[in-house]
Every structure is written in C-alpha cells, then in structure tokens.
Amino acid sequence: QVQVVESGGGLVQAGGSLRLSCAASGTTFSTSIMAWYRQATGTQRELVAQATSGGSTKYLDSVKGRFIISTDNAKNTVYLQMTNLKPEDTALYYCNIKTLFGPSWGDYWGQGTQVTVSS
C-alpha cells in the first residue's frame, strides 16, 4: 500500500519562504514521476512542479525562478522549496506520485498542505 504524506505548509508573509515535504511509503522512486499540484479556492488544480526519476523537471511559468523541486531517493521524499512567495501562491498544495509497478502506473495523492501568503 503506497501512502503519500505532505508537510511544511503554513502562513507566511509575501517575500518569505517555505519548504514543503512529501514522504512516500510503500514505493521507491526508481521509475516515478513526482509532482506538486495546487488548488486555490474556486480554481482548478494546477501542476506547479514535476520531477522524473530520469532527472528532468518542469515548472509552472509563474513559479519559475522561485520554486525548486527536489528528491531524496534514500528517504523517498520529495521537496518543494518555495521562495519569494506571493499572495497568489496561496493554495492547498498536493503531492502526487506516479510510479511504475510492472506493466502499469500507480497514481497516488497526499491529503494536501495549506500554504497561505499574506500581503
């Protein structure tokens, strides 16, 4: 059973920083796509940052240069370092892990962690 647990959200002033963590159990990142999504009130969930086990990354345009996704394979943990936070970054942030089990992909989500940026 794969479980995904996020932590690290909170309230921060504009210009501040936070680091989100996502711990995955029951899987490894050997063939995986690790991602952070966010959903603000009244909006659709959007992809913020993604990293693959092959080493590629991609980011939402509005967070490029401010957010960095990284992984610690030994700890099965994904991080999202967020700097120069803006009020528009306020959202519920979700970790998503897609991992290959034999011929098929498993798709796992955490419960979300709230990030609130005050102006």
Side-chain angles (χ1 to χ4, degrees):
Q1 182 74 12
V2 176
Q3 290 188 319
V4 177
V5 180
E6 305 101 333
S7 60
L11 173 64
V12 64
Q13 288 189 330
S17 300
L18 283 174
R19 189 177 79 158
L20 305 183
S21 298
C22 169
S25 60
T27 185
T28 67
F29 294 161
S30 58
T31 305
S32 297
I33 301 170
M34 294 74 70
W36 288 95
Y37 288 76
R38 69 186 181 188
Q39 187 169 19
T41 303
T43 69
Q44 290 188 327
R45 192 173 297 188
E46 62 182 354
L47 176 65
V48 176
Q50 177 179 291
T52 70
S53 51
S56 65
T57 58
K58 70 176 180 180
Y59 295 91
L60 182 68
D61 283 348
S62 62
V63 309
K64 286 179 181 177
R66 300 189 297 121
F67 291 10
I68 298 174
I69 187 170
S70 62
T71 62
D72 184 333
N73 291 342
K75 295 182 179 180
N76 283 351
T77 301
V78 185
Y79 302 100
L80 185 67
Q81 179 67 49
M82 306 184 292
T83 60
N84 191 21
L85 282 160
K86 303 177 180 181
E88 52 264 41
D89 295 318
T90 295
L92 190 60
Y93 283 71
Y94 296 91
C95 179
N96 174 249
I97 307 293
K98 295 179 178 64
T99 191
L100 187 63
F101 288 115
S104 62
W105 287 87
D107 190 2
Y108 307 98
W109 292 86
Q111 80 289 350
T113 186
Q114 179 68 38
V115 172
T116 303
V117 185
S118 64
S119 57

